[in-house]
Amino acid sequence: NAESESNRGQLAGVPGAGTLKAVFFLFASICAWYSGYLLAELIPEVSLSSAAYSIRNIGERPILKAPAPKRQKCDHWTPCPSDTYAYRLLSRGGRDKYAKICFEDELLIGEKTGNVGRGINIAIVNYMTGKVTATQYFDMFEGDNSGQMINFIQSAPSKSLLFMVTHDDGASRLKEDAKKVIEGLGSKHIRNIQFRSSWVFVTAKGLQLPEEIQRESINHSDSARNRYSGWPAEVQIEGCIPKKTS
């Protein structure tokens, strides 16, 4: 019994396991704080902020922005060569889509220029200078305007480009002699034009246009297939006319 009492006295003087863990944790905390202090002193603040920013952006996808496509003359998809004239013709489509004639990025006839009208719209351009010389529309639904249109076309001097588009009806009062004049300029569809047909045509006087360029297009009104109520879909042609032709 005396020996047991002596052993318990000796054990009572030894620190417990919990006390040792507490001391070790306190020592580890002090070491960690001191290491962090040294790290902050040795590494510049800018580097730390940059590292933090980089960490935040890990996993984020880079945003690649494609450059905006450059607008081409007359809204072509691809640019015309510098030694050519750019053109684009658009007939009327429905009540709200006005006919347009664009040449070298200049709107010769259209809603914004205020010179588009019902019937056949014509623009004459001096081929040598690339400048518009005259524009006019001829009502083919009311009045007798075929003769005036013939005079206008025949007044175009040699070395002229002529652009024609329909806006609404271009056929009801179009007479035979006017059809012959336009046919003589190379049109293959003028004799097929009907009430509210969408029609566009480019031609020239005193020079020969290349065979490969778009010259003419037509779309007839059909109640079963019309895109718009009472109107067929608009038609358009565009291209590049060489500044030096035969």
Side-chain angles (χ1 to χ4, degrees):
N1 291 336
E3 184 179 357
S4 298
E5 290 294 333
S6 175
N7 290 336
R8 282 197 294 270
Q10 291 176 4
L11 291 172
V14 178
T19 303
L20 290 174
K21 288 182 179 180
V23 171
F24 178 77
F25 179 77
L26 178 61
F27 178 76
S29 298
I30 293 172
C31 289
W33 173 84
Y34 188 67
S35 298
Y37 172 78
L38 290 177
L39 185 66
E41 289 295 323
L42 293 174
I43 301 177
E45 183 178 351
V46 175
S47 300
L48 287 174
S49 61
S50 299
Y53 178 80
S54 299
I55 292 172
R56 286 198 305 269
N57 286 274
I58 292 177
E60 291 186 4
R61 291 183 177 181
I63 300 175
L64 301 177
K65 294 184 178 180
K70 182 180 179 181
R71 182 185 172 277
Q72 306 300 333
K73 291 180 179 179
C74 294
D75 294 321
H76 281 206
W77 283 106
T78 56
C80 283
S82 59
D83 59 347
T84 63
Y85 293 124
Y87 70 92
R88 183 169 180 254
L89 311 184
L90 181 71
S91 69
R92 179 174 180 171
R95 294 181 180 276
D96 302 321
K97 296 182 179 295
Y98 286 74
K100 295 179 181 178
I101 297 176
C102 178
F103 182 80
E104 278 295 275
D105 216 26
E106 179 183 355
L107 187 63
L108 306 185
I109 289 179
E111 181 183 13
K112 291 183 178 180
T113 53
N115 59 348
V116 63
R118 181 175 62 187
I120 298 178
N121 293 251
I122 305 176
I124 301 174
V125 172
N126 184 312
Y127 172 75
M128 304 305 295
T129 64
K131 301 298 183 182
V132 61
T133 57
T135 62
Q136 186 65 49
Y137 69 87
F138 302 90
D139 193 340
M140 292 298 157
F141 185 74
E142 292 181 341
D144 184 6
N145 298 305
S146 280
Q148 295 180 29
M149 187 177 69
I150 292 173
N151 292 335
F152 183 78
I153 293 173
Q154 292 178 339
S155 70
S158 181
K159 302 290 183 179
S160 290
L161 300 172
L162 290 87
F163 304 94
M164 307 183 190
V165 297
T166 55
H167 183 80
D168 199 335
D169 179 33
S172 293
R173 292 182 177 270
L174 181 63
K175 293 185 176 181
E176 175 65 20
D177 52 354
K179 292 180 181 180
K180 285 183 178 180
V181 169
I182 296 175
E183 190 176 43
L185 291 171
S187 173
K188 297 180 179 179
H189 296 297
I190 191 62
R191 290 195 174 277
N192 300 323
I193 195 169
Q194 302 169 12
F195 175 70
R196 282 184 176 169
S197 290
S198 293
W199 175 71
V200 294
F201 177 53
V202 57
T203 186
K205 291 180 67 177
L207 59 108
Q208 185 67 38
L209 295 179
E211 292 293 334
E212 64 272 13
I213 71 169
Q214 287 185 294
R215 297 192 187 192
E216 191 173 20
S217 184
I218 194 168
N219 187 25
H220 300 300
S221 180
D222 185 336
S223 58
R225 297 187 298 123
N226 281 343
R227 176 180 294 180
Y228 312 104
S229 177
W231 276 275
E234 61 271 29
V235 294
Q236 69 173 356
I237 58 175
E238 63 180 42
C240 311
I241 300 174
K243 294 180 179 179
K244 292 182 179 180
T245 65
S246 56

